[in-house]
Amino acid sequence: MFEAEPAIKLQFLHPDRMAKVKSQYTERDKFKLICDAIGTPGPTVTWHKGKDIYLGHRSDETITPGRYDYEIYFNGVDIKDKGNYTCVVKNSYGTLSHSYVFDVRAPYGCNLNRSMCSFTQDSTQGGIDELNWTHQKTRDVLVHGIVAACLLITVAVFIVICWRRESRIKRSLQLSVLLSKPKFEYDAFVIYSSYDSDWVIKTLIPILERKHSFKCCVQYRDFVVGVPFRENMVNSVYKSRKL
C-alpha cells in the first residue's frame, strides 16, 4: 500500500518578491506579477482583474483558470493594462489571495493621449529598445504658427504691391493731366461796350487784377499795335482761359 502524501499548508513561496512589485510603471516597461505557491494537494491559480476573471492581456497568451499559471508577464506594458490584479490560490484545504494595484504613465512626461505623442522604437543597442517620444501638440502648434506667419507675410506683400501700383497710376494720371492742360497767357479776355469803358478801366479791371490776382486781356492795353483788329480778337481769345 502507498502511504498518503502528507498535507502541506498553502503558502506563497516568494512573498518578499511579491511585495516589491511597484505601484506605477511607464509605458513599454517589462515586468511580471508572480503568484508562486505550494500546498498539498497541488493548488490551482485563478487570476482576476477587477471583478472579472483575467484570461490574458495579449492575443498570444492565454491564462486558463484552475491551471498552474503562477505568473503574468508584461512584455511592454500599455495604458490599458493598469488596474487591480488578484491571484487566488486554492486547494481542498484552503485559499490564498494576493492583489497588485499599479498605474501606467507615459514616458518623459508625455500625455497619455496617444494623439499628443509620437512613438518610435530603436533596437540597435544590444537589443534594448530605446523610446523616443516627442510632443506632437507642440509640433502642431509650431507648424500652425509658421503657416499663419507665411499667410500674414503674403497678405502684407500683396497689400504693398497693390498700394504701390495704385500710387504709380495716380501719379501717371496727375502728370498726364498737367501735360494735357493748355498754357494760357491770360486768365480772362474782357469784352465790353464802349459805353462801359470807364467802368471797366477804372473799376472792373483793378478789382480783378489787384484784389483777385487775375491777369486780364483788355483791348486798350493788350492788343498789338499794327495788327488788324479781327486778328487781335482771335489771338486774345486763344490766349485767354475765360471770356
Side-chain angles (χ1 to χ4, degrees):
M1 295 180 62
F2 294 98
E3 294 183 1
E5 186 177 359
I8 300 177
K9 182 180 178 181
L10 279 175
Q11 57 182 322
F12 290 117
L13 290 177
H14 306 289
D16 54 338
R17 290 171 56 188
M18 297 169 70
K20 291 181 179 179
V21 175
K22 297 186 296 184
S23 61
Q24 189 174 68
Y25 290 91
T26 301
E27 279 195 287
R28 306 295 173 177
D29 279 351
K30 299 177 181 180
F31 66 97
K32 61 183 177 180
L33 305 180
I34 61 175
C35 193
D36 295 337
I38 59 172
T40 303
T44 60
V45 178
T46 302
W47 284 93
H48 297 262
K49 183 179 182 182
K51 297 181 180 180
D52 301 324
I53 294 178
Y54 186 66
L55 301 177
H57 63 290
R58 296 291 185 269
S59 59
D60 58 349
E61 178 183 5
T62 301
I63 295 177
T64 304
R67 300 286 298 277
Y68 299 101
D69 293 315
Y70 294 130
E71 296 180 353
I72 299 178
Y73 182 63
F74 294 94
N75 185 20
V77 69
D78 188 84
I79 180 64
K80 298 178 182 179
D81 295 325
K82 69 177 182 179
N84 186 342
Y85 293 81
T86 302
C87 67
V88 179
V89 182
K90 63 181 179 180
N91 62 10
S92 56
Y93 289 99
T95 301
L96 288 177
S97 66
H98 182 80
S99 295
Y100 298 94
V101 180
F102 64 86
D103 193 11
V104 180
R105 62 179 177 84
Y108 311 117
C110 190
N111 194 301
L112 285 178
N113 185 349
R114 303 296 290 186
S115 64
M116 302 286 284
C117 306
S118 61
F119 168 76
T120 58
Q121 185 173 7
D122 183 12
S123 57
T124 59
Q125 299 181 1
I128 300 176
D129 293 338
E130 180 180 348
L131 303 180
N132 180 20
W133 290 78
T134 58
H135 287 281
Q136 184 69 32
K137 185 176 182 180
T138 303
R139 186 174 64 183
D140 290 344
V141 170
L142 180 60
V143 171
H144 293 163
I146 293 174
V147 172
C150 292
L151 288 176
L152 289 176
I153 293 173
T154 303
V155 172
V157 171
F158 178 76
I159 292 174
V160 171
I161 292 175
C162 292
W163 175 78
R164 294 185 62 181
R165 183 178 180 184
E166 184 177 358
S167 299
R168 286 198 299 268
I169 293 174
K170 286 183 178 180
R171 287 197 298 268
S172 299
L173 290 175
Q174 291 172 354
L175 181 60
S176 62
V177 170
L178 290 175
L179 293 176
S180 63
K181 286 183 178 180
K183 295 182 179 180
F184 297 101
E185 186 176 346
Y186 303 100
D187 292 312
F189 176 34
V190 180
I191 301 174
Y192 56 92
S193 170
S194 58
Y195 296 103
D196 300 322
S197 59
D198 288 341
W199 177 79
V200 170
I201 296 172
K202 296 179 181 180
T203 304
L204 179 61
I205 297 302
I207 291 176
L208 292 176
E209 292 187 338
R210 296 173 186 174
K211 186 175 181 179
H212 298 288
S213 300
F214 289 138
K215 186 177 180 181
C216 298
C217 178
V218 289
Q219 173 186 345
Y220 73 90
R221 183 186 63 188
D222 299 307
F223 275 19
V224 180
V225 178
V227 177
F229 180 80
R230 185 186 299 273
E231 187 175 344
N232 267 318
M233 287 288 291
V234 173
N235 292 337
S236 297
V237 170
Y238 280 111
K239 292 180 181 180
S240 302
R241 190 185 306 275
K242 299 289 184 180
L243 293 178

